[in-house]
Amino acid sequence: MRRLLIAVLCVLLVASPTAAAQSETPGRAGVPLTVMSYNIHTGIGVDGRLDLARVAADIAAAGADVVGLQEVDVHWMARSEWRDQAAELAAAVDMAVYFAPIYDLDPAEPGKPRRQYGLAVLSRHPVVAAENHWITRLSTQVPNPTPEPAPGFPEVVLDVRGERVHVYNTHLDYRADPAVRRAQVTDMLRVLAEDRGEARVLLGDFNAAPDAPELAPLWTELVDAWAVANPSSPGPTYPATAPAKRIDYVAAGYPARVRDSRVITTGASDHLPVLAELTVTRRHGSPWDGPLPDHRLRYGTAHQAGLAAEHVDRLVPDVEAGVLASPRAFPGGVVLAARNGVIVRHAAVGDALRYGHDGAELPPDQRIPMREDTIFDVASLSKLFTTVVALRLVERDLIDLDAPAAGYLPEFGQNGKQDVTLRQLLTHTSGLPAGLVLGSYPTVEQRLAAVYAVAPRSPPGTRYVYSDLSLIVLGKVLERVTGRSLPDLVAAEVTGPLGLRDTTYNPPQELRPRIAPTQHGGARGLIWGQVHDSTSWYLGGTAGHAGVFSTARDLAVFAQMLLNGGRYGDRRVLRTDSVRAMTTNWNAAIPGADRGLGLDVNKPAFMGLLATPYTVGHTGYTGTSLVIEPDSRSFVLLLTNRVHPTAAGPPTNPYRHAVADDLARAVLER
């Protein structure tokens, strides 16, 4: 919150009910919270009658603790009989209220109350603070309006049995042109970013479908409660008489986690309200800072891992859904999930090879089925191996992450890059562009020279741009300092100590039958057993950003090593403080750019319900992903061949999200 509107609260808050002050049952892992989003259409139902009592009855019957109301009149006009709908509803359901006007106009007659229209938040829990934020709006109250900042995005901070919860309520622009909604989402994310790390719940009428491009940035910060709870159901909310589209939402971010969601049938408005049951997890600092486990992986049951079996059983069907989708998301995949060192699911679905050297689909008897030990080009998961090698050298005082990269690799210091540090390379804040086309340079040396000559696009440390070039440069720093190749360093520092026998660069020909092919096309034909990433390929298949081939089982050992604080069995790969540095969010000052050293941090877009401020992981362009959630000591891997035979297919994130949700639910409902 940027400021507290205490004076407004004193006027608008009614007494909080005693239920909110009841203590939580000792030993519970979280605090339950039921929230509702309800566009009340100013109390006018589908029958055209104004009847606030019906709205109040819906709220009371739902048992909601917090309600976000849209289209609320306060002495606005004759349609609502000039009544204060916010105060009346609050009194009817015995809840506190904060009203946030979008429009605040002079009274119709002298001496009458001001005319207001906007949104309200009702709460059974004590309200600590509230603010009516401004976002872009296209006014309906003036002729020829232009988009400009206006109020009507309320934020209410609640004390939910000792836990602070930020509740926001919104009503996005209704017009077909998404431009204003796009600007509103940007504005809301700026407000939400101020409270990152706190429990955040966004309620509202978004006037757009869940897959609308303008809403996509929201799903990088929050999860859509309905989509999490009912992934196979459309859940339409409008119009109430014959619901055809879902435009009303509850969205949440850790430590507020979704348990269930439903749409309520009613005729009290032209919208149907959405209810969600959440759990606000009680936090005790970063799990990476506390005692870490010392597990060796073993196969076992959901019960042995402390997981709910019904959700573990969803993992394989949710991956199979990608194989069976039309269009197909990927020919095949391998999923592996574990908790407390127990692998509860390790399964393969679909095909590793489905398309031949001419790009045509093969007959079933010529395909190669996916296996649990299929070897994948893991693409950008390679960055994690480069990072671990870098931290090993830090531990030996061979490099300093806060020293300029040019101090180790002088040729990189040209064109204004002399101050770029190794830490900035690892956190993608170096100012380097995302990539560089290298095919026009005839030799590896000339290609590297082109990388070193690239001019920064922004001053180092000021902007986040996910950059393959950053990790390419880091890999070359490691080679220069040690006099050894990156594959040799990864073998000596990571794969050798961990016993990762199937993890390598440029795999030998004899492993080809176990390798999942990737793309077909161009001069390279069917890429099979060679790195898919063209930049890495032009650099010999061994670059800091891509080039590693591995299996789900090997990557599981790598993930467990991190969860163990850098140790696996009797081998220590990293010091515990190095793991803490690797998993710390170094980009907290840059909204939406959460990154550790080489790792993504808190990315709901692919981490789903596992996303917390401490969750780490990474994705790979070929269709791979790893998510590690330290508080529950769990992780999930999804390896697919989604670029076989083309990279033009559907996105993989929905399936990454689904398996992460399955594991999160298995933890939450154990």
Side-chain angles (χ1 to χ4, degrees), residues 108 114 219 228 289 386 392 446 451 465 496 517 551 611 634 644 656:
R114 293 189 64 79
W219 310 135
V228 167
D289 293 335
T386 306
R392 291 280 281 176
Q446 289 172 308
V451 171
V465 174
T551 63
S634 61
H644 179 57
R656 294 165 171 157

Side-chain angles (χ1 to χ4, degrees), residues 187-203:
D187 295 339
M188 293 192 304
L189 285 173
R190 186 182 63 252
V191 174
L192 287 164
E194 296 177 5
D195 306 312
R196 186 178 285 117
E198 300 292 321
R200 298 175 296 175
V201 179
L202 174 63
L203 311 171

Side-chain angles (χ1 to χ4, degrees), residues 194-490:
E194 296 177 5
D195 306 312
R196 186 178 285 117
E198 300 292 321
R200 298 175 296 175
V201 179
L202 174 63
L203 311 171
D205 174 356
F206 293 1
N207 271 310
D211 58 354
E214 64 268 28
L215 298 188
L218 277 178
W219 310 135
T220 67
E221 285 285 317
L222 305 172
V223 297
D224 176 357
W226 179 266
V228 167
N230 308 277
S232 60
S233 174
T237 61
Y238 181 84
T241 50
K245 53 186 178 180
R246 182 159 72 90
I247 61 175
D248 300 273
Y249 295 83
V250 173
Y254 180 88
R257 310 185 86 158
V258 179
R259 298 187 69 91
D260 198 8
S261 183
R262 60 189 174 92
V263 174
I264 297 171
T265 301
T266 180
S269 169
D270 63 342
H271 287 247
L272 301 182
V274 180
L275 191 77
E277 296 177 12
L278 311 177
T279 296
V280 181
T281 303
R282 292 197 182 278
R283 295 165 297 158
H284 306 283
S286 171
W288 297 107
D289 293 335
L292 296 172
D294 185 15
H295 293 307
R296 288 185 69 103
L297 292 172
R298 61 186 178 90
Y299 290 88
T301 66
H303 177 74
Q304 290 168 330
L307 295 171
E310 62 183 294
H311 296 295
V312 171
D313 290 342
R314 287 296 316 158
L315 285 161
V316 174
D318 281 344
V319 179
E320 287 177 329
V323 177
L324 300 174
S326 181
R328 185 179 295 109
F330 39 80
V334 176
V335 62
L336 188 153
R339 181 170 188 255
N340 292 327
V342 179
I343 298 174
V344 294
R345 199 62 87 240
H346 181 191
V349 301
D351 296 315
L353 172 70
R354 191 182 181 102
Y355 300 88
H357 289 277
D358 58 357
E361 189 169 26
L362 295 169
D365 63 342
Q366 295 181 29
R367 301 172 189 170
I368 298 178
M370 195 68 77
R371 298 169 20 171
E372 292 176 1
D373 66 347
T374 292
I375 298 171
F376 290 83
D377 174 346
V378 301
S380 284
L381 296 191
S382 306
K383 294 177 171 72
L384 308 187
F385 291 85
T386 306
T387 301
V388 171
V389 171
L391 291 174
R392 291 280 281 176
L393 299 193
V394 169
E395 292 177 357
R396 295 176 192 150
D397 294 325
L398 294 177
I399 59 174
D400 179 351
L401 293 185
D402 294 312
Y408 306 102
L409 196 66
E411 53 266 55
F412 173 69
Q414 57 187 297
N415 292 328
K417 302 192 299 298
Q418 66 277 359
D419 295 326
V420 173
T421 68
L422 300 184
R423 189 183 305 276
Q424 289 163 346
L425 294 175
L426 279 165
T427 57
H428 300 277
T429 57
S430 64
L432 293 179
L436 183 67
V437 177
L438 298 180
S440 62
Y441 300 94
T443 67
V444 170
E445 290 73 20
Q446 289 172 308
R447 294 162 191 161
L448 284 172
V451 171
Y452 300 151
V454 167
R457 301 298 191 264
S458 58
T462 64
R463 186 180 172 211
Y464 168 79
V465 174
Y466 180 75
S467 172
D468 285 344
L469 300 186
S470 289
L471 271 292
I472 291 172
V473 171
L474 179 66
K476 290 304 172 183
V477 167
L478 305 180
E479 292 184 337
R480 181 69 59 85
V481 168
T482 62
R484 304 171 68 183
S485 71
L486 184 60
D488 284 349
L489 289 169
V490 169

Side-chain angles (χ1 to χ4, degrees), residues 601-621:
V601 178
N602 192 19
K603 294 296 192 299
F606 75 92
M607 296 176 177
L609 281 176
L610 285 178
T612 77
Y614 316 110
T615 304
V616 298
H618 215 287
T619 61
Y621 185 80

Side-chain angles (χ1 to χ4, degrees), residues 539-603:
L539 296 176
T542 59
H545 73 296
V548 170
F549 286 72
S550 191
T551 63
R553 188 64 170 78
D554 274 8
L555 291 172
V557 172
F558 182 91
Q560 190 63 55
M561 176 272 293
L562 291 179
L563 276 176
N564 289 349
R567 181 186 184 95
Y568 190 80
D570 60 356
R571 305 304 297 269
R572 179 163 289 283
V573 174
L574 288 173
R575 295 197 308 239
T576 302
D577 60 339
S578 294
V579 173
R580 288 172 179 151
M582 192 173 175
T583 56
T584 294
N585 178 17
W586 295 98
N587 290 355
I590 306 175
D594 296 358
R595 298 287 303 200
L597 299 178
L599 284 164
D600 256 322
V601 178
N602 192 19
K603 294 296 192 299

